[in-house]
Amino acid sequence: GGGSAPDDLDLGGAFVLVVGNEARGRDPGVLDRATVRLTIPMEGPVDSLNAAIAGSVVLFAAARQRRMRDGRRSDVGGAP
């Protein structure tokens, strides 16, 4: 926790995504070098996501921001 939500960050440019594993999290040395921390907002009884799902959520948010920036509004199938 403690980071910004994906929708609150500019993910339209180049970035490195570090996803910690479910058991041990991220390596402290890598986390110390991070310039931005991101947290996926969770509702209800869910405490965490599988690392692959968490990464997919962030990459989807980045792709959506890039589509919006490029004037393509749809999240599905390239339709306007």
Side-chain angles (χ1 to χ4, degrees):
S4 299
D7 289 342
D8 295 336
L9 296 171
D10 179 2
L11 302 174
F15 65 91
V16 174
L17 177 62
V18 176
V19 180
N21 72 37
E22 295 87 21
R24 293 182 304 275
R26 297 141 324 263
D27 179 275
V30 172
L31 194 55
D32 288 343
R33 292 185 184 105
T35 56
V36 174
R37 293 186 185 182
L38 182 147
T39 300
I40 298 171
M42 308 291 281
E43 292 186 27
V46 179
D47 290 330
S48 66
L49 296 174
N50 167 284
I53 297 301
S56 297
V57 167
V58 174
L59 294 175
F60 180 83
R64 183 180 60 221
Q65 286 184 15
R66 293 168 189 196
R67 281 192 300 273
M68 296 296 286
R69 177 195 63 206
D70 296 341
R72 296 177 285 146
R73 297 177 51 92
S74 176
D75 285 337
V76 180

